[in-house]
Every structure is written in C-alpha cells, then in structure tokens.
Amino acid sequence: MRTTLSRRRWLGGAAAGLGALALTGCDRLVASPAADALVRRTEHLTQGAQRLFLQRTSLAAEFTEADLSPVFRANGTRMPESDAYARLLHGGFKDWRLQVDGLVRQPLSLSLDDLMAMPSRTQITRHDCVEGWSAIGKWQGVQLKRVLDAAGLAPGARYVVLHCADELEQTLDGSGRYYESIDLIDAWHPQTLLAYAMNDRRLPVAHGAPLRLRVERQLGYKQAKYLMRLEVVSSFTHLWGGRGGYWEDRGYEWYAGI
Ligand SMILES: Nc1nc2c(c(=O)[nH]1)N[C@H]1C(S)=C(S)[C@@H](COP(=O)(O)O)O[C@H]1N2
Ligand SMILES: [Mo]
C-alpha cells in the first residue's frame, strides 16, 4: 500500500513539472491546433499538480478535549543517554538553546523562554505510528514558520533538518543520532509546531522535552523529539545516510504522508 502511495506521489511530481511547462508562453502557443491539443492534454496534469498541492497544504483533522487518549504511549527514545542532555534536564532546561542556522540570514539561538514568548498555537491531533498504533494528544508550541521568519531564509533554502539530542542506536561514527527533515511546504504549514507542551503540561521527557516537532500530515517518525538544532539546507544528501532522517536511512519513506 505504501508503495502505491509513493508511486502516486512521484507521478504527481512529474505532473507538476509538465504543468509548469504548459503554463509558459501559452498565449502564442494556442494559436496552432497542435499546440491547442497539447494544452488540453496537459490541463489535467496541471489539475493533478493543483490537487497534489492542496493535499499537502490542507489541514490535518483536529479533535476535542473529549477525544484525548487516556494513554499516549512513548516510542523510540524515552530518555536520551548523553551526559550533556542529563545536565540540561537537571538544570530545568535553562541552559538549553535551539540553534537555528544553515541557509538563514540571521542565525538564532533561542531559549525556551524566547520560544514561549512568541505567539503560540494549540491543536488536538492524532499521532499515527508506522508500527500500527495511534493516539490523540494536545500540543502547544510556536509555529515553525514564525521561527523561520525570524531567521529569514537565504537563497537555496529547501529543507529544514531537525537535529535531536538522542542516539537511538549506539554507533562509533554517531550515525545512530536521530534526525529528521521536512520541506518548506511542511515548514510553512500552519499546524507545523515546535511544541513545548503536551496535554496542558510541559512536554515530558519521554515525549521529547524540552521541544519536539509536530508535523501533522505525516507519520510518527517524522515528529522529531529532543530538538537541539534546526539547520536550513538545500539538500540533505551529505547528512549521515543521506536520505533525510534516521528511519529514512534505514529504509522508510522520506515523505510519510497520512
Ligand atoms: N529524537 C527522537 N524523535 C523521535 C523518535 C526517537 O526515537 N527519537 N521516535 C519517533 C517515533 S517512531 C514516534 S512514533 C514518535 C513517538 O512520539 P512519542 O514518544 O511522543 O509517542 O516520535 C518520533 N520521534
Ligand atoms: Mo513511530
């Protein structure tokens, strides 16, 4: 089923490219019957691209307090093992900073207070893990787009890489470190949050304290916990396994749409 989905996405991407081609200089082109036929043939591709774009930008379902799951299980890392994280936790995350760098005009170093001082969004959404469980939780945080606006994107920016504090797999070269990446469509999505609260409390350690990503149109493994650094890049092929995420490097899809 997931293979079918990814094929459909690939076709959509091709349609987007053709659609863009069909839009250039169409006034002059439609003068000839052959060109007219071409425009009519590609019109449905443009509509396909449009539909795909709408799919990517539409909102995930939101729920009510009554729908909250009594138990929201924690998955993957539940407590990062490094001494550095232990120190940050011990200090109540006062010394924790979120670094924002890479292809930005103004690199930032944000404390939790800085993030909490920004306008926040609260949403109740369903988390779907690829392992086959779901849970509904309430998230509060700052929209990622606000942080990116504050940093300002530099030319070439295409993805946001989320670097985490935990190593899910202990390796000599550090390639077991958790990381994720999303494109700018998801980065600008209104429900894409840097969340510091869950169910009206500070984010618990098991769920990613002090800060985690919520990118609600995608599966659980994209919801990076224990955020330390956001790096804006034009490509992620130089990072670890080159596929844009810890699980992606181990065979999972990069775009994990639900
Ligand atoms: N840093 C980090 N983020 C992570 C993981 C992890 O192990 N480390 N696991 C992922 C997976 S597979 C899921 S389903 C969710 C689980 O989030 P939860 O622990 O809040 O339920 O976090 C995701 N983000
Ligand atoms: Mo997951």
Side-chain angles (χ1 to χ4, degrees), residues 72-78 127-131 133 139 164-166 168 178-179 198 206-208 212 214 219-227 247:
F72 195 120
R73 72 181 252 199
N75 207 28
T77 302
R78 291 169 177 79
H127 175 107
D128 294 307
C129 174
V130 75
E131 291 165 15
W133 59 273
W139 307 100
C164 306
D166 59 314
L168 192 48
Y178 207 92
Y179 77 107
M198 176 189 193
H207 293 286
R212 70 146 348 137
R214 292 303 309 171
L219 287 172
Y221 62 86
K222 300 297 287 192
Q223 323 296 324
K225 307 194 281 190
Y226 315 111
L227 297 180
W247 284 113

Side-chain angles (χ1 to χ4, degrees), residues 12-198:
L18 281 172
L21 266 182
L23 284 177
T24 47
C26 51
D27 279 355
R28 226 167 348 110
L29 268 173
V30 286
S32 89
D36 193 25
L38 174 74
V39 168
R40 261 187 282 112
R41 263 206 317 278
T42 54
E43 200 165 32
H44 77 277
L45 292 177
T46 315
Q47 279 168 15
Q50 181 75 14
R51 250 198 311 277
L52 190 86
F53 185 70
L54 285 177
Q55 255 172 44
R56 292 288 315 278
T57 53
S58 61
L59 295 178
E62 292 194 17
F63 300 82
T64 68
E65 305 266 342
D67 304 311
L68 287 173
S69 299
V71 177
F72 195 120
R73 72 181 252 199
N75 207 28
T77 302
R78 291 169 177 79
M79 167 66 85
E81 283 176 8
S82 72
D83 292 343
Y85 184 84
R87 272 195 300 276
L88 291 171
L89 172 61
H90 188 72
F93 295 111
K94 291 242 171 337
D95 296 329
W96 172 91
R97 294 290 181 277
L98 179 71
Q99 305 298 332
V100 183
D101 56 23
L103 296 174
V104 293
R105 294 181 196 282
Q106 176 63 59
L108 304 173
S109 175
L110 301 169
S111 68
L112 261 188
D113 286 344
D114 292 336
L115 290 164
M116 289 178 181
M118 296 173 79
S120 78
R121 188 179 203 279
T122 301
Q123 61 202 27
I124 300 177
T125 52
R126 197 185 65 216
H127 175 107
D128 294 307
C129 174
V130 75
E131 291 165 15
W133 59 273
S134 301
I136 293 178
K138 181 177 181 180
W139 307 100
Q140 184 189 1
V142 54
Q143 289 168 315
L144 174 57
K145 67 174 176 186
R146 291 186 189 271
V147 171
L148 295 179
D149 276 345
L153 295 184
R158 288 190 66 189
Y159 306 99
V160 179
V161 178
L162 305 118
H163 295 278
C164 306
D166 59 314
E167 271 182 81
L168 192 48
E169 186 190 328
Q170 299 290 331
T171 59
L172 288 178
D173 63 355
S175 64
R177 185 163 295 270
Y178 207 92
Y179 77 107
E180 260 302 339
S181 59
I182 59 174
D183 66 16
L184 293 183
I185 298 180
D186 270 332
W188 250 273
H189 191 286
Q191 290 170 322
T192 300
L193 304 187
L194 300 174
Y196 43 72
M198 176 189 193

